[in-house]
């Protein structure tokens, strides 16, 4: 339905990475998935990609990551980086409303709590798809 | 050490005996008794030979035969040992100056009792060997007794308190205050006992009290004891020179009067200092406890959050992957796959409910200080009913209630309480639709609330057990993890009330709880 997307995923749980792939598959999102299972690796990639190199269409961040957490990555993205305008989706199991407020304040576009039911979880693929479409539409305009 | 103590005793004794008037060996100023008592309390009973040696030396070089001096030295040593034993046994030993009660016990036992014994032994030793007149026994004994007793009251506290805590860590403003205090004490004591009073000898001794109280309120027992010693020194010097309010015809009478005055003032000042210090310690302790409590609560919150996240995370994965497995491979797994999945998912849901219940229970246990406000129990009941909306509709339950009162409490907790009790009434229903009635009546001090149902009831022998954590007395055919009533009990206890159950199997249960009634409560219908 649209050209191959590139998705940046910072997620330390292999189970959630698997489910995320399933969710994308379920919504027919054809993509390259760049997976980082700890915050440090994610940050190194971002620093390396600052000048040139691949530019992901969307950044999906878990909040609790080893070494550097999702908040710090989000802050780095929004803090004048090359990806300051890119869509960011926070995908977390946190039930703490403060985390949602903080994420929005730091510049996240969407905040989704990981569902405890497979059908609900798979809906995340639709959210990602919609965000990519919106980004491309804005880029054209 | 023994020799050192003997030397100190000797020098202090010589100083005291330079003020001996009724008999060369008897004086109303006897600092060695305070020194020897403090020495035994601080260093232990083993230092008694030092005292004996010092006492013998000071007396043999003054007057009396070897026998006289052995008698006196025995009395003096016995005084210190007996005084120390009495103080350790009955007046908290080295901590005697922390509480007024102990200070007065110290004065009576060490200052009054042990010295009376010593004075008797001393005067008998003198009289028996011909160094004192039996007819003057009373006067001699009194001077000896008062001299020793007041020596103990004035000198021992300063030595003990300074030996226990030698640190002087005053910030600059405090140091300035200390210098001011000392200057004022010297000024006032010179006015009362110094040259200025020559020829006037006005009874101005009361001027010293406020200065000592200043020390007591602002500096504590240790520094107060030192101020008393300084005052005593200035006063003795002045009185001997015929200056100050206590000067009478005989120097012995003058000194006795002065010593009585200083001893009394010392007792009062030390007591005040102890009370002030005790209060300060209590305040510090309270603040420390408060700090610790809030740290514990913060830790608990943190733990609760981490536990909820870390425990629920794997459970979520179990559910998701079981569902995914059945969805994608259900055909290969066969017909029972769905049933198995439902058992797994049901188990996980139950585990989640237990974790949430436990967290709720722990949070309640951690919160001793809850925000209490006037709460209408009518509102509480409607909120509880609303939260239970689905369960009430499914079971076709009816909830009846009269007008409920306003109580002082935590709204959220009270909603949870009624919700738990009504929820239980629905959960443990019989074949008939649940009829639940909520009522309140008042006795002298409390509101007594009751939640009655027509459910399956429970054997009254479980009356207490139902409120225990993880107690489930109905078997596996009903849901529930056995935390609801434990939480309810905790909530009632936080409101300083009681909760209990009355039940008949097959007829129904009534849960009753009390909430203290204040003056502001009124009936709202």
């Amino acid at each position: 339905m649209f050209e191959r997307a590139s998705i940046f995923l910072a997620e330390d749980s292999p189970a959630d990475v698997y489910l995320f792939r399933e969710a994308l598959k379920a919504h027919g999102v054809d993509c390259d998935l760049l997976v980082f299972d700890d915050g440090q690796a994610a940050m190194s990639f971002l620093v390396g990609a600052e000048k040139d190199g691949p530019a992901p269409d969307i950044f999906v961040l878990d909040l609790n990551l080893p070494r550097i957490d999702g908040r710090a990555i989000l802050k780095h993205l929004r803090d004048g980086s090359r990806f300051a305008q890119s869509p960011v989706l926070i995908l977390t199991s946190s039930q703490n409303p403060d985390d949602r407020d903080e994420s929005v304040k730091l510049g996240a576009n969407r905040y989704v709590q990981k569902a405890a039911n497979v059908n609900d979880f798979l809906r995340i693929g639709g959210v990602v798809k919609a965000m990519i479409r919106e980004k491309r539409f804005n880029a054209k305009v | 050490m023994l020799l050192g103590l003997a030397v100190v005793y000797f020098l202090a004794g010589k100083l005291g005996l330079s003020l001996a008037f009724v008999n060369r060996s008897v004086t109303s100023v006897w600092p060695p008794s305070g020194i020897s008592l403090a020495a035994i309390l601080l260093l232990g009973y083993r230092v008694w030979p030092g005292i004996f040696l010092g006492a013998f030396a000071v007396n043999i070089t003054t007057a009396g035969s070897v026998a006289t001096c052995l008698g006196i030295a025995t009395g003096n040593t016995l005084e210190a040992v007996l005084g120390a034993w009495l103080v350790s046994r009955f007046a908290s030993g080295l901590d005697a100056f922390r509480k007024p009660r102990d200070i007065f016990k110290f004065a009576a036992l060490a200052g009054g009792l042990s010295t009376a014994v010593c004075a008797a032994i001393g005067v008998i030793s003198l009289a028996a060997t011909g160094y004192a007149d039996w007819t003057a026994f009373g006067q001699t004994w009194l001077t000896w007794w008062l001299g020793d007793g007041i020596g103990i009251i004035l000198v021992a506290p300063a030595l003990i308190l300074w030996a226990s805590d030698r640190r002087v860590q005053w910030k600059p403003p405090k140091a300035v205050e200390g210098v001011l205090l000392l200057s004022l004490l010297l000024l006032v004591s010179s006015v009362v006992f110094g040259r200025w009073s020559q020829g006037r000898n006005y009874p101005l001794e009361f001027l010293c009290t406020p200065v000592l109280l200043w020390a007591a309120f602002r500096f504590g027992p240790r520094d107060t004891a030192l101020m008393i010693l300084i005052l005593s020194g200035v006063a003795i010097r002045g009185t001997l020179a015929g200056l100050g309010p206590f000067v009478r015809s005989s120097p012995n009478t003058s000194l006795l009067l002065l010593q009585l005055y200083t001893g009394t003032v010392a007792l009062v000042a030390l007591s005040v200092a102890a009370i002030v210090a005790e209060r300060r310690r209590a305040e510090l302790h309270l603040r420390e406890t408060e700090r610790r409590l809030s740290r514990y609560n913060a830790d608990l919150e943190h733990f609760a959050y981490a536990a909820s996240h870390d425990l629920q995370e794997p459970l979520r994965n179990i559910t998701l992957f079981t569902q995914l497995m059945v969805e994608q491979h259900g055909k290969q797994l066969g017909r029972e796959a769905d049933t198995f999945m439902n058992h797994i998912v049901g188990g996980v849901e139950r585990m989640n409910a237990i974790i949430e219940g436990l967290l709720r229970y722990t949070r309640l246990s951690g919160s001793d200080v809850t925000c209490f406000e006037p709460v209408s129990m009518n509102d509480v009941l409607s909120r509880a009913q609303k939260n239970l909306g689905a369960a009430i509709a499914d079971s076709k339950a009816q909830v009846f209630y009269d007008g409920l009162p306003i109580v002082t409490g935590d709204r959220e907790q009270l909603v949870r309480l009624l919700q738990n009790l009504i929820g239980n009434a629905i959960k443990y229903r019989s074949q008939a639709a649940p009829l639940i009635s909520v009522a309140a009546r008042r006795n002298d001090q409390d509101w007594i609330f009751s939640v009655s149902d027509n459910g399956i009831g429970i054997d009254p022998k479980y009356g207490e057990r139902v409120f225990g954590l993880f107690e489930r007395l109905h078997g596996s055919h009903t849901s529930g993890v056995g935390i609801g009533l434990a939480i309810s009990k905790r909530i009632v206890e936080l409101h300083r009330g009681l909760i209990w159950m009355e039940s008949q199997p097959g007829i129904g249960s009534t849960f009753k709880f009390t909430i203290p009634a204040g003056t502001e409560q009124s009936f709202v219908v």
Side-chain angles (χ1 to χ4, degrees):
Chain A
M1 58 160 284
F2 52 56
E3 67 184 86
R4 199 170 171 80
S6 164
I7 299 176
F8 176 107
L9 174 66
E11 171 62 68
D12 61 322
S13 153
D16 285 341
V17 173
Y18 184 90
L19 287 165
F20 188 75
R21 277 186 208 280
E22 287 293 311
L24 294 176
K25 218 193 294 172
H27 286 84
V29 180
D30 182 22
C31 69
D32 293 322
L33 192 58
L34 304 163
V35 181
F36 302 91
D37 62 2
D38 84 276
Q40 184 81 62
M43 204 62 123
S44 304
F45 171 85
L46 290 177
V47 172
E50 189 54 50
K51 292 261 155 49
D52 47 24
D57 289 291
I58 179 174
F59 293 82
V60 181
L61 310 175
D62 187 9
L63 282 183
N64 295 317
L65 290 167
R67 301 207 273 188
I68 296 178
D69 74 1
R71 297 166 194 81
I73 298 176
L74 175 56
K75 211 180 284 176
H76 174 85
L77 282 172
R78 290 301 183 234
D79 213 10
S81 87
R82 177 184 166 201
F83 310 110
Q85 303 300 321
S86 300
V88 174
L89 165 69
I90 301 294
L91 181 61
T92 175
S93 54
S94 164
Q95 298 173 356
N96 188 345
D98 293 348
D99 283 338
R100 173 186 294 269
D101 294 348
E102 195 191 354
S103 302
V104 171
K105 203 182 282 174
L106 288 174
N109 301 74
R110 292 291 296 268
Y111 181 100
V112 175
Q113 197 183 316
K114 290 174 186 168
N117 173 299
V118 77
N119 290 328
D120 290 340
F121 198 105
L122 295 182
R123 287 204 184 99
I124 195 72
V127 175
V128 172
K129 190 173 172 182
M131 287 176 78
I132 296 173
R133 187 181 282 147
E134 192 183 332
K135 185 217 168 195
R136 295 196 169 165
F137 177 77
N138 287 342
K140 263 183 209 156
V141 172
Chain B
M1 191 170 63
L2 288 182
L3 203 64
L5 176 59
V7 170
V8 171
Y9 192 101
F10 178 82
L11 293 176
K14 277 292 172 198
L15 181 73
L17 286 177
S18 65
L19 312 174
F21 300 102
V22 288
N23 181 301
R24 286 179 65 194
S25 305
V26 185
T27 169
S28 56
V29 180
W30 190 244
S33 56
I35 294 171
S36 54
L37 177 69
I40 290 199
L41 282 172
L42 287 165
L43 307 171
Y45 291 108
R46 67 203 158 85
V47 299
W48 71 265
I51 298 168
F52 187 85
L53 195 64
F56 181 79
V58 78
N59 279 289
I60 199 77
T61 53
T62 305
S65 65
V66 172
T68 320
C69 297
L70 283 176
I72 294 177
T74 306
N76 285 358
T77 310
L78 188 65
E79 173 187 275
V81 171
L82 179 64
W85 182 80
L86 288 169
V87 170
S88 302
R89 179 80 180 72
F90 300 106
S92 309
L94 289 173
D95 290 330
F97 310 105
R98 290 166 77 94
K99 287 186 180 139
R101 199 182 51 187
D102 286 335
I103 292 175
F104 282 98
K105 278 192 202 160
F106 168 87
L109 296 172
L113 189 62
S114 67
T115 48
V117 176
C118 161
I121 296 175
V123 180
I124 290 169
S125 305
L126 282 174
T129 49
Y131 288 91
D133 202 345
W134 283 111
T135 53
F137 186 92
Q139 158 109 42
T140 317
W141 178 84
L142 185 69
T143 304
W144 193 309
W145 178 58
L146 283 175
D148 278 21
I150 288 157
I152 282 177
I153 291 170
L154 295 182
V155 177
L159 288 178
I160 290 172
L161 289 168
W162 277 93
S164 312
D165 180 12
R166 259 163 282 183
R167 287 168 306 153
V168 179
Q169 290 169 324
W170 291 344
K171 293 195 177 85
K174 194 78 181 168
V176 170
E177 191 182 340
V179 171
L180 280 177
L181 170 66
L182 187 61
S183 316
L184 186 70
L185 180 81
L186 292 173
L187 178 73
V188 169
S189 54
S190 339
V191 167
V192 180
F193 298 101
R195 241 169 245 300
W196 181 86
S197 69
Q198 194 153 29
R200 304 188 184 92
N201 293 6
Y202 291 140
L204 288 176
E205 66 275 13
F206 56 84
L207 285 179
C208 304
T209 314
V211 187
L212 292 180
L213 288 182
W214 179 6
F217 273 103
R218 301 275 305 157
F219 288 86
R222 185 190 68 174
D223 303 328
T224 308
L226 181 65
M227 292 293 146
I228 292 166
L229 263 190
I230 294 171
L231 170 68
S232 170
V234 175
I236 289 172
R237 226 179 71 153
T239 305
L240 284 172
L243 303 169
F246 297 104
V247 173
R248 294 296 179 275
S249 52
S250 99
N252 193 56
T253 314
S254 309
L255 276 183
L256 273 183
L257 286 174
L258 171 68
Q259 288 290 76
L260 275 175
Y261 161 76
T262 334
T264 314
V265 170
L267 275 185
V268 173
L270 284 174
S271 302
V272 173
I275 292 168
V276 174
E278 198 176 13
R279 219 188 71 177
R280 203 168 289 154
R281 276 196 304 274
E283 270 169 16
L284 274 177
H285 183 72
L286 191 68
R287 262 204 296 277
E288 177 56 29
T289 312
E290 270 171 8
R291 234 194 334 264
R292 226 171 17 216
L293 191 68
S294 67
R295 206 169 51 225
Y296 284 155
N297 274 341
D299 283 353
L300 187 73
E301 275 298 305
H302 185 78
F303 164 78
Y305 175 73
S308 69
H309 181 264
D310 294 350
L311 290 176
Q312 285 171 343
E313 198 58 11
L315 292 177
R316 192 171 55 80
N317 281 337
I318 295 173
T319 305
L320 287 170
F321 280 91
T322 311
Q323 290 172 337
L324 205 58
M325 185 168 66
V326 173
E327 205 161 276
Q328 296 187 351
H329 307 285
K331 286 211 175 75
Q332 289 110 292
L333 292 171
R335 272 187 304 164
E336 282 177 318
D338 263 344
T339 319
F340 290 175
M341 178 188 78
N342 287 340
H343 280 306
I344 295 173
V345 172
V348 168
E349 275 169 9
R350 205 173 138 66
M351 188 76 184
N352 264 322
I354 291 175
I355 294 170
E356 269 166 30
L358 262 183
L359 288 174
R360 209 173 288 134
Y361 184 78
T362 356
R363 282 202 195 107
L364 270 181
S365 305
S367 67
D368 275 343
V369 191
T370 32
C371 40
F372 279 12
E373 52 179 352
V375 179
S376 155
M377 289 301 280
N378 286 327
D379 293 350
V380 166
L381 179 60
S382 22
R383 288 251 323 264
Q385 276 179 278
K386 206 169 139 197
N387 293 349
L388 288 166
I392 290 178
D394 290 350
S395 64
K396 300 192 171 57
Q398 293 185 62
V399 180
F400 305 95
Y401 66 101
D402 300 329
L404 299 177
I406 291 174
V407 299
T408 304
D410 181 299
R411 183 181 302 273
E412 294 305 316
Q413 290 183 9
L414 291 172
V415 169
R416 160 88 32 209
L417 172 63
L418 281 191
Q419 193 178 320
N420 283 354
L421 295 180
I422 296 171
N424 273 357
I426 295 172
K427 203 181 288 169
Y428 303 110
R429 60 178 179 268
S430 58
Q431 303 295 328
L435 300 175
I436 301 159
S437 117
V438 182
R441 68 185 168 79
R442 165 129 197 209
N443 71 8
D444 286 350
Q445 300 111 30
D446 302 309
W447 283 107
I448 304 171
F449 291 87
S450 62
V451 178
S452 313
D453 63 48
N454 59 341
I456 52 178
I458 188 164
D459 195 322
K461 74 178 176 199
Y462 298 124
E464 260 309 305
R465 271 181 61 192
V466 291
F467 297 104
L469 203 54
F470 293 127
E471 283 291 358
R472 296 184 57 237
L473 304 162
H474 281 291
S476 58
H477 56 278
T478 49
S479 59
V481 292
I483 297 178
L485 281 177
I487 289 178
S488 304
K489 184 172 187 217
R490 187 73 192 129
I491 292 174
V492 172
E493 282 169 353
L494 284 172
H495 287 78
R496 305 190 198 300
L498 293 168
I499 186 167
W500 68 95
M501 180 200 74
E502 293 164 4
S503 185
Q504 264 183 292
I507 293 182
S509 307
T510 300
F511 282 86
K512 292 188 176 174
F513 63 92
T514 63
I515 301 231
T519 44
E520 78 282 16
Q521 283 110 0
S522 58
F523 238 98
V524 175
V525 182

